[in-house]
C-alpha cells in the first residue's frame, strides 16, 4: 500500500529519521541498534506490549545470532537463562539415531523462547534506551515512497484519529501479515513462493521436555517433532493435512499420535500435559527480491517466510536486523552507504541458503509418509547418509546451525 491519503484534519506530522513498522524480533533489534547510536526512531506496533511479550513462537536460536545480539549488548538475559543444545535425535523404524552436531562444528544452539527475547528487546529499546513505541496502532499505511519522501500513517487506538509521521527511512518489520511488503511496487519486485503441501499441527504442552534434545520422528503416519521450550513447556509438532482443523486433534488423539510417531526402542516415555496451544500451520515459504525499494527496507518475515521445518525464521530476522540497523546507522551518522546498498543481496544469500536447507530437510521428514515408495526410500537414504558419511554429517551440522556464513 503506497497510498496518498490526504492529511486534512490530521494533526501536524511528526518527523523521525527512521520509522520501524512492527515490534517483533526484527523491528525491536533494528530499533535498539538505532537508539544505541543516538538515531531517533519510532516503532509502530499493532499489538499491545503484553500481547507481544507473551506470544510464543520460536525457541531455537543459532550461535552466530546470539553472538550478534551479545556484541550489541542485547543478550544478557539470554546468556544467563538459555539452554545450550549440542545434539539432536532422529527416530525412524523404531530406532533412535543420535546426531552430535557440536562435536562436528564446535557450535551449539541456544534454546530461548521468542517471547523472552521480545521482552528483553522491548525493555532495552524502550525502558533502557528511551525509544518510543506506539502500541495498538491500527490501519498502518505507507506513503510517498515513489516521491522519495516517505511517511507512515496510522489510526490512533485512543482517539480514532489518523496520524502522520514523516521519515528519512522506513523499516518494514511487520511480519508475514503486515502491510509493508505490499508497498513495494509489484513491477519492481519478485515474490518466489513454495508450498510444501503439508500441514503441521503446532502444539505447546504444559509439560517438561520428554528428551534432553530436539527429536525428529519420521513415521509412515507422518512427521512428529519434540522441542524443549523451558523446564515446564514443550513444543511438539504433528504433520497433518494442510488446512486441517485443530478441533480434529483433541488431547487424547494428540498424545496417542505423538507416542506412536516418536516411539523408539529405549526412548523415555513422553511426559504428557495440558495443551496450551494447538494450531495448524500450512507449510509454505516465500522470498521477496529485492528486499528494499528506495527508502523502504524490509526485514524478517515481512521479506521472507521460512516454514518452521528447520527453525530458521527468527534467525533470519535477526540477521536482517543486524545488517539493516548497522547500515542505517552508518548512513545516518557517517554518510556511509555501503551497508544499505548491499543490504538486500547480503540478506538474500543467507535467506536462500536457509530456504534450500528447509526444503532438503522437509523431504527427509515428509517423504516417509508421502505414500510414494520412491520418496520414502530416498528419504531414508538421506537420513542414513548422515550416519554413514562423516562429510555428509558435517555438511548437515553446518547448515543446521547456520554456521557456514559468518554472522
Ligand atoms: P514477527 O515476529 O511476526 O513480528 C512482526 C510484528 O509486527 C506486528 N505487525 C504490525 N505492526 C504495525 N503495523 C502493521 N500493519 C503490523 N502487522 C503486524 C506484529 O504484531 C508483530 O509484533 O516478525 P519478525 O520480527 O520478522 O520475526 C520473525 C519470527 O517471529 C519468525 O520468523 C519465527 O517465529 C519463526 N519460527 C522459528 N524461527 C526460528 O528461527 N526458530 C524456531 O524455533 C522457530 N519456531 C517459528 C517457530 C514460527 C512459528 N509460527 C507460529 C509460524 C515456531 C512456530 C510455531
Amino acid at each position: 500500500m503506497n497510498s496518498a491519503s490526504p492529511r486534512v484534519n490530521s494533526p501536524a506530522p511528526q518527523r523521525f529519521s527512521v520509522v520501524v513498522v512492527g515490534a517483533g524480533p526484527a523491528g525491536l533489534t533494528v530499533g535498539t541498534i538505532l537508539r544505541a547510536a543516538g538515531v531517533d526512531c519510532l516503532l509502530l506496533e499493532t499489538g499491545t506490549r503484553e500481547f507481544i511479550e507473551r506470544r510464543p513462537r520460536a525457541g531455537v536460536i543459532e550461535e552466530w545470532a546470539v553472538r550478534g545480539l551479545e556484541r550489541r549488548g542485547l543478550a544478557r538475559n539470554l546468556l544467563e537463562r538459555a539452554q545450550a543444545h549440542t545434539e539432536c535425535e532422529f527416530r525412524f523404524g523404531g530406532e533412535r539415531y543420535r546426531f552430535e552436531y557440536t562435536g562436528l562444528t564446535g557450535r551449539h544452539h541456544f534454546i530461548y523462547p521468542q517471547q523472552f527475547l521480545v521482552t528483553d528487546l522491548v525493555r532495552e529499546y524502550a525502558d533502557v534506551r528511551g525509544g518510543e513505541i506506539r502500541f495498538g496502532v491500527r490501519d498502518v499505511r505507507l506513503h510517498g515512497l515513489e516521491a522519495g519522501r516517505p511517511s507512515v500513517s496510522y489510526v490512533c487506538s485512543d482517539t480514532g484519529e489518523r496520524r502522520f509521521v514523516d521519515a528519512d527511512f522506513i523499516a518494514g518489520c511487520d511480519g508475514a501479515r503486515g502491510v509493508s511488503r505490499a508497498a513495494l511496487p509489484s513491477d519492481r519486485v519478485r515474490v518466489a513462493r513454495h508450498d510444501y503441501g503439508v500441514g503441521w499441527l503446532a502444539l505447546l504442552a504444559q509439560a517438561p521436555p520428554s528428551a534432553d534434545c530436539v527429536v525428529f520422528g519420521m513415521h509412515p503416519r507422518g512427521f512428529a517433532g519434540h522441542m524443549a521450550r523451558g523446564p515446564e513447556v514443550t513444543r511438539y509438532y504433528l504433520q497433518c493435512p494442510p488446512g486441517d482443523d485443530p478441533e480434529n486433534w483433541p488431547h487424547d488423539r494428540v498424545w496417542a499420535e505423538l507416542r506412536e510417531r516418536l516411539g523408539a526402542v529405549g526412548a523415555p516415555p513422553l511426559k504428557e500435559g495440558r495443551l496450551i496451544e494447538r494450531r495448524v500451520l500450512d507449510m509454505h515459504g516465500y522470498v521477496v527480491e529485492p528486499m528494499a525499494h528506495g527508502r523502504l527496507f524490509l526485514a524478517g518475515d515481512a521479506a521472507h517466510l521460512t516454514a518452521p521445518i528447520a527453525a530458521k525464521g527468527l534467525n533470519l530476522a535477526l540477521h536482517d536486523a543486524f545488517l539493516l540497523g548497522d547500515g542505517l546507522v552508518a548512513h545516518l551518522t557517517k554518510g556511509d552507504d555501503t551497508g544499505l546498498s548491499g543490504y538486500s543481496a547480503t540478506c538474500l544469500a543467507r535467506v536462500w541458503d536457509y530456504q534450500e536447507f528447509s526444503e532438503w530437510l522437509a523431504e527427509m521428514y515428509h517423504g516417509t509418509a508421502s505414500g510414494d515408495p520412491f520418496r520414502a526410500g530416498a528419504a531414508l537414504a538421506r537420513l542414513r547418509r548422515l550416519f554413514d558419511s562423516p562429510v555428509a554429517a558435517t555438511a548437515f551440522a553446518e547448515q543446521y546451525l547456520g554456521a557456514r556464513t559468518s554472522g
Side-chain angles (χ1 to χ4, degrees), residues 1 37 52 105 122 157-158 179 192 211 213 221 238 243 277 323 393 397 402:
M1 199 178 313
I52 66 166
T105 59
V122 173
S157 55
D158 300 338
V179 296
C213 67
R221 296 177 66 87
L238 279 170
E277 184 186 280
L323 292 172

Side-chain angles (χ1 to χ4, degrees), residues 20-28 44-47 51-52 55-62 114 118 137 139-140 173-180 202-203 227 229 235 237 277 279 281 299-308 310-318:
V20 180
V21 184
L28 287 162
L44 297 175
E45 165 60 49
T46 46
F51 173 75
I52 66 166
R55 180 173 44 197
R57 291 175 108 182
V60 180
I61 313 185
E62 296 172 356
Q114 180 167 327
V118 165
V137 298
D139 193 15
V140 174
C173 305
D174 46 353
R177 300 207 172 113
V179 296
S180 303
L203 302 152
M227 280 142 220
R229 284 294 188 258
R235 189 173 274 298
Y237 292 111
E277 184 186 280
R279 49 194 292 221
L281 308 174
D301 282 7
H304 40 75
L305 190 73
T306 47
K312 295 295 190 188
L314 170 61
N315 293 287
L316 287 176
L318 292 173

Side-chain angles (χ1 to χ4, degrees), residues 324-395:
L324 183 54
D326 292 349
L328 286 168
V329 167
H331 174 88
L332 291 164
T333 62
K334 292 184 258 168
D336 174 358
D337 273 340
T338 328
L340 288 186
S341 56
Y343 171 73
S344 178
T346 312
C347 293
L348 286 167
R350 188 180 284 264
V351 168
W352 279 115
D353 193 46
Y354 283 19
Q355 292 284 14
E356 190 281 332
F357 179 61
S358 298
E359 201 191 3
W360 184 93
L361 200 56
E363 190 52 27
M364 193 168 86
Y365 290 166
H366 304 133
T368 313
S370 65
D372 174 345
F374 189 91
R375 282 180 63 191
L380 180 55
R382 201 169 273 202
L383 173 65
R384 288 224 172 96
R385 195 182 302 132
L386 301 184
F387 295 88
D388 292 347
S389 158
V391 175
T394 306

Side-chain angles (χ1 to χ4, degrees), residues 24-25 28 49-59 61 69 74-83 111-124 204 228-233 314:
L28 287 162
R49 181 166 179 169
E50 295 69 34
F51 173 75
I52 66 166
E53 290 185 347
R54 285 191 196 153
R55 180 173 44 197
R57 291 175 108 182
I61 313 185
L69 289 166
L74 301 174
R76 208 175 43 252
N77 285 346
L78 188 160
L79 290 169
E80 272 171 24
R81 296 164 66 190
Q83 284 182 335
I111 306 299
Y112 193 62
Q114 180 167 327
Q115 68 272 26
F116 293 4
L117 179 64
V118 165
T119 302
D120 295 346
L121 291 170
V122 173
R123 192 176 164 278
E124 191 64 33
L204 274 180
R229 284 294 188 258
E232 272 140 38
V233 176
L314 170 61

Side-chain angles (χ1 to χ4, degrees), residues 5 15 29 34 98 112 122 125 142 153 165 178 182 212 226 238 274 288 301 308 324 341 346:
S5 293
R15 174 161 203 96
T29 304
L34 294 173
R98 198 82 174 177
Y112 193 62
V122 173
Y125 172 80
L142 278 53
S153 75
V165 185
D212 59 354
H226 157 282
L238 279 170
R274 193 166 66 87
V288 176
D301 282 7
L324 183 54
S341 56
T346 312

Side-chain angles (χ1 to χ4, degrees), residues 42-290:
L42 171 68
L43 258 72
L44 297 175
E45 165 60 49
T46 46
T48 62
R49 181 166 179 169
E50 295 69 34
F51 173 75
I52 66 166
E53 290 185 347
R54 285 191 196 153
R55 180 173 44 197
R57 291 175 108 182
V60 180
I61 313 185
E62 296 172 356
E63 189 168 335
W64 63 264
V66 172
R67 299 299 166 219
L69 289 166
E70 189 182 15
R71 277 199 297 281
R72 293 164 177 88
L74 301 174
R76 208 175 43 252
N77 285 346
L78 188 160
L79 290 169
E80 272 171 24
R81 296 164 66 190
Q83 284 182 335
H85 274 205
T86 59
E87 45 192 319
C88 61
E89 186 172 306
F90 298 94
R91 294 187 185 164
F92 178 82
E95 300 291 332
R96 304 165 73 188
Y97 302 82
R98 198 82 174 177
F99 188 82
E100 296 177 13
Y101 48 82
T102 296
L104 295 166
T105 59
R107 313 277 177 92
H108 62 271
H109 275 137
F110 288 80
I111 306 299
Y112 193 62
Q114 180 167 327
Q115 68 272 26
F116 293 4
L117 179 64
V118 165
T119 302
D120 295 346
L121 291 170
V122 173
R123 192 176 164 278
E124 191 64 33
Y125 172 80
D127 305 340
V128 177
R129 301 187 189 185
E132 185 173 350
I133 310 186
R134 294 186 192 156
F135 289 104
V137 298
R138 290 191 276 117
D139 193 15
V140 174
R141 297 182 191 177
L142 278 53
H143 314 271
L145 292 168
E146 288 309 322
R149 282 184 285 105
S151 69
V152 181
S153 75
Y154 63 93
V155 172
C156 176
S157 55
D158 300 338
T159 61
E161 240 173 22
R162 180 161 291 280
R163 301 247 171 97
F164 284 81
V165 185
D166 293 335
D168 294 328
F169 292 95
I170 300 173
C173 305
D174 46 353
R177 300 207 172 113
V179 296
S180 303
R181 188 168 59 254
L184 295 169
S186 55
D187 57 339
R188 308 285 278 279
V189 295
R190 183 180 72 173
V191 184
R193 297 180 190 279
H194 182 62
D195 186 349
Y196 288 92
V198 298
W200 277 18
L201 181 68
L203 302 152
L204 274 180
Q206 189 95 55
S210 302
D212 59 354
C213 67
V214 170
V215 179
F216 306 110
M218 284 148 287
H219 193 277
R221 296 177 66 87
F223 169 80
H226 157 282
M227 280 142 220
R229 284 294 188 258
E232 272 140 38
V233 176
T234 306
R235 189 173 274 298
Y236 289 94
Y237 292 111
L238 279 170
Q239 183 184 338
C240 63
D244 203 357
D245 184 347
E247 292 305 314
N248 293 336
W249 292 90
H251 179 99
D252 290 349
R253 182 180 178 204
V254 164
W255 288 106
E257 205 66 34
L258 285 169
R259 279 195 300 274
E260 174 79 24
R261 298 189 197 179
L262 292 172
V265 176
L270 296 187
K271 293 180 180 147
E272 299 185 16
R274 193 166 66 87
L275 297 170
I276 51 177
E277 184 186 280
R278 237 175 349 146
R279 49 194 292 221
V280 171
L281 308 174
D282 290 342
M283 293 289 113
H284 68 108
Y286 58 76
V287 180
V288 176
E289 293 179 288

